[in-house]
Amino acid sequence: MSVVEQYARAHIVTDADLPEEERAAVPVVLRYDPDEDPRTVRVGIPGTHEHSVARALLEQGLRAPAGTEGVRVWPCGRVQAVVEFHDAQGVSVVEFESRTLQRFLRRTYTVTTQPVTT
C-alpha cells in the first residue's frame, strides 16, 4: 500500500479567549491513500474528527481562494495558507505553512495505486 502520511504543525484560528499555551501550534496529520480515494487527502486535527479535502482543491487554494460547500482554502500572505472546514459540528479554521502543504502534495504525486487483481 502506498500511503503518504506527514505530520505538520498548524495553528487553530479561533475567536475564543484561549490561554497562551493553547494558541501554540498543534500537531496535524496529513494523509493520502490512493487505494482508498486517489482524489482526496485527509486532515486529522486534534480534538476533532478527520476532515476530507479534494487534493485538487487544496492545491488550487495554495495559489488563490478556492472552495466548496464544506471546505475553503486560501493563501494568507506569502508563507501561509488557511483551510476552513464546515461540517455538522461547526467550523474549524486551520493555518498552515504553505510549503508544508506543497511538500505533502508533491509527495502524493509520487505514489501510485495498487493494481487490482482478480
Side-chain angles (χ1 to χ4, degrees):
M1 185 159 54
S2 303
V3 175
V4 175
E5 193 168 270
Q6 179 175 320
Y7 293 86
R9 305 284 297 164
H11 291 275
I12 307 298
V13 180
T14 179
D15 62 356
D17 188 22
L18 296 175
E20 187 64 35
E21 62 273 4
E22 290 185 33
R23 293 182 197 184
V26 297
V28 174
V29 178
L30 303 169
R31 188 170 196 279
Y32 174 71
D33 184 348
D35 295 329
E36 184 178 289
D37 184 350
R39 296 170 303 214
T40 303
V41 298
R42 303 209 180 277
V43 180
I45 303 169
T48 68
H49 64 282
E50 193 174 67
H51 298 278
S52 296
V53 181
R55 184 168 61 160
L57 175 67
L58 188 57
E59 192 168 16
Q60 182 183 5
L62 290 172
R63 294 185 304 274
T68 63
E69 287 181 20
V71 181
R72 293 189 183 110
V73 183
W74 64 91
C76 182
R78 295 176 57 189
V79 297
Q80 296 176 324
V82 175
V83 183
E84 181 179 277
F85 301 101
H86 295 257
D87 59 24
Q89 287 76 34
V91 178
S92 298
V93 181
V94 185
E95 189 175 74
F96 290 93
E97 285 190 19
S98 297
R99 72 173 176 239
T100 299
L101 295 177
Q102 291 165 342
R103 186 172 37 247
F104 170 72
L105 286 168
R106 246 190 330 267
R107 289 180 61 211
T108 69
Y109 287 106
T110 64
V111 300
T112 58
T113 57
Q114 297 294 323
V116 178
T117 57
T118 55

